[in-house]
Amino acid sequence: MNTLAAPFPATAQSASKPSVVDCHGHYTTEPEALNVFRAAQIAALKDPSKKPSASGLKISDDQLRESVQPQLKFQRERGTDVTLFSPRAGGMGHHIGTAETSAEWSQVSNELIHRIATLHPDNFIGIGQLPQSPGVRPDNCIAELERCVKEYGFVAVNLNPDPSGGYWRDPPLTDRWWYPLYEKMVELDVPAMVHVSASANPNFHGTGAHYINGDTTAFMQFITSGLFRDFPTLRMVIPHGGGAAPYHWGRYRGLAQDMKKPPLDELLLKNVFFDTCVYHKPGIEVLFKVVPVDNILFASEMVGAVRGIDPLTGRYYDDTKFYIDALPLSEADRAKVFEGNARRVYRLDRTALYRRRG
């Protein structure tokens, strides 16, 4: 497949050595006080007397610094520089409670991400959690989206295609139900990572099935629609290597052809991007053989879905840089995957970090 030209304005690479940007990190090492708050919030759904006060949640800067030491350690050991950092994906829990529950939880979670990015500005850039709730129109998320971008300087949000947690009760991402949110994303010039939260359906293991189902479902929804005709500058990142999409690329090309759609590079690849959260070298090789390099962004999701060490390599499964380093890429393509594509898709040159580096 031919590598397509960059659909957005090119940005100059740093004069210094290019950074390694991990576009997919979650706050999975949060202080226990946050978990206690969330447990009380959920308990209050049955007994309002147990409702905690967000203003009463006290987490010090020192506690936040200590909580991200695992991420900082892995950054140093694995040779990555900056992580695009969002609240724990499985913890977003959009299926829990009401829109008000989700709004409060999102505000608390996003504030902590902002504080971490402020405490470690050279290591973390914020990504926001949206206050989605099943059956509630996505318009409801616009205020928090604006707050994250305008007040916190976040460069993207996580967008859950299935707020029901595995039951898929809301319209597909391509339905006009979502359009007001997309209009605001385009206005603010921020992308979304399409990322489900925890599975509430016992048929679907959260990280092993529900996550990959969500990625694959979103990709197929994009194929069947005219979404990017309506929003030609809208940018979506599909995590976990795109779910099943690269492995079954021929199927999706054939389905698009049968539906009289344009080729995938014309239909989707000016707007849809894939990360490298694929936890073995053969899977990474398939991703790079199938998807144009301009559409691949480095990511690891550390410390995340898979935390163990692979006995076949002696390395952590989520040490994805190790797999990419072994690929026969040109220096130009390697620079795109590790930094250039993230700079372009997430508009990183607008951040203080990249203004300093530039």
Side-chain angles (χ1 to χ4, degrees):
M1 179 174 295
N2 293 329
T3 300
L4 79 162
F8 305 110
T11 57
Q13 294 291 326
S14 302
S16 58
K17 179 183 176 182
S19 295
V20 176
V21 180
D22 187 336
C23 79
H24 188 172
H26 298 299
Y27 191 19
T28 58
T29 56
E30 59 272 81
E32 183 59 24
L34 184 64
N35 298 324
V36 171
F37 173 87
R38 179 59 165 170
Q41 190 189 42
I42 293 172
L45 297 173
K46 293 184 177 179
D47 182 356
S49 68
K50 296 181 178 179
K51 189 177 189 304
S53 166
S55 62
L57 176 61
K58 304 298 183 184
I59 299 175
S60 70
D61 286 353
D62 285 343
Q63 286 176 298
L64 291 180
R65 290 190 185 96
E66 179 61 28
S67 70
V68 295
Q69 289 308 305
Q71 285 86 354
L72 295 175
K73 176 176 180 288
F74 282 140
Q75 283 185 353
R76 292 190 298 269
E77 291 178 353
R78 300 180 186 182
T80 62
D81 295 294
V82 60
T83 300
L84 307 190
F85 204 51
S86 64
R88 181 192 292 266
M92 293 189 296
H94 295 126
H95 60 284
I96 297 173
T98 64
E100 290 73 24
T101 309
S102 187
E104 181 180 53
W105 178 233
S106 297
Q107 290 163 10
V108 166
S109 299
N110 288 332
E111 181 183 355
L112 291 182
I113 296 297
H114 173 58
R115 287 177 61 193
I116 289 168
T118 301
L119 292 169
H120 293 281
D122 291 338
N123 300 98
F124 300 104
I125 296 174
I127 304 286
Q129 172 178 315
L130 293 177
Q132 297 176 247
S133 188
V136 177
R137 296 190 66 86
D139 316 39
N140 190 58
C141 299
I142 288 175
E144 186 64 11
L145 168 63
E146 288 198 293
R147 189 172 78 99
C148 285
V149 174
K150 293 182 177 180
E151 295 183 24
Y152 290 164
F154 288 4
V155 296
V157 289
N158 289 334
L159 178 66
N160 188 346
D162 173 31
S164 72
Y167 291 96
W168 296 90
R169 294 180 177 129
D170 283 351
L173 288 174
T174 52
D175 191 271
R176 289 185 176 274
W177 163 271
W178 299 88
Y179 273 28
L181 181 62
Y182 297 158
E183 289 167 0
K184 182 57 65 172
M185 288 170 55
V186 168
E187 176 189 325
L188 297 172
D189 196 18
V190 293
M193 177 171 281
V194 181
H195 205 309
V196 295
S197 185
S199 173
N201 187 330
N203 289 289
F204 303 119
H205 182 276
T207 55
H210 184 46
Y211 277 21
I212 308 304
N213 292 348
D215 306 332
T216 309
T217 300
F219 185 73
M220 189 63 207
Q221 288 177 359
F222 294 152
I223 289 176
T224 60
S225 77
L227 177 64
F228 301 117
R229 182 184 61 241
D230 293 341
F231 295 98
T233 63
L234 184 65
R235 307 186 296 286
M236 297 286 191
V237 179
I238 301 181
H240 319 116
Y247 189 67
H248 289 286
W249 201 258
R251 175 181 291 258
Y252 295 115
R253 286 178 56 236
L255 288 168
Q257 181 175 307
D258 289 347
M259 290 185 284
K260 310 302 181 186
K261 297 285 187 179
L264 293 187
D265 56 350
E266 180 182 338
L267 180 65
L268 299 184
L269 295 186
K270 293 180 175 65
N271 307 87
V272 177
F273 305 86
F274 304 82
D275 79 13
T276 65
C277 289
V278 179
Y279 293 154
H280 67 150
K281 186 170 177 283
I284 288 285
E285 290 172 338
V286 169
L287 176 65
F288 277 79
K289 286 178 180 177
V290 170
V291 175
V293 73
D294 284 352
N295 291 77
I296 301 175
L297 285 69
F298 171 71
S300 71
E301 204 175 4
M302 69 176 190
V303 179
V306 180
R307 300 192 180 192
I309 292 176
D310 184 347
L312 298 180
T313 65
R315 311 283 293 238
Y316 285 95
Y317 284 99
D318 62 6
D319 185 1
T320 54
K321 185 174 182 293
F322 171 66
Y323 311 132
I324 297 166
D325 285 342
L327 296 178
L329 299 176
S330 70
E331 287 307 308
D333 285 349
R334 198 174 300 277
K336 287 179 180 180
V337 171
F338 282 140
E339 179 182 18
N341 293 342
R343 288 175 73 120
R344 175 167 52 94
V345 173
Y346 288 92
R347 302 292 197 256
L348 294 185
D349 289 329
R350 296 184 302 192
T351 69
L353 170 63
Y354 275 80
R355 286 197 297 271
R356 288 199 302 274
R357 289 186 60 83

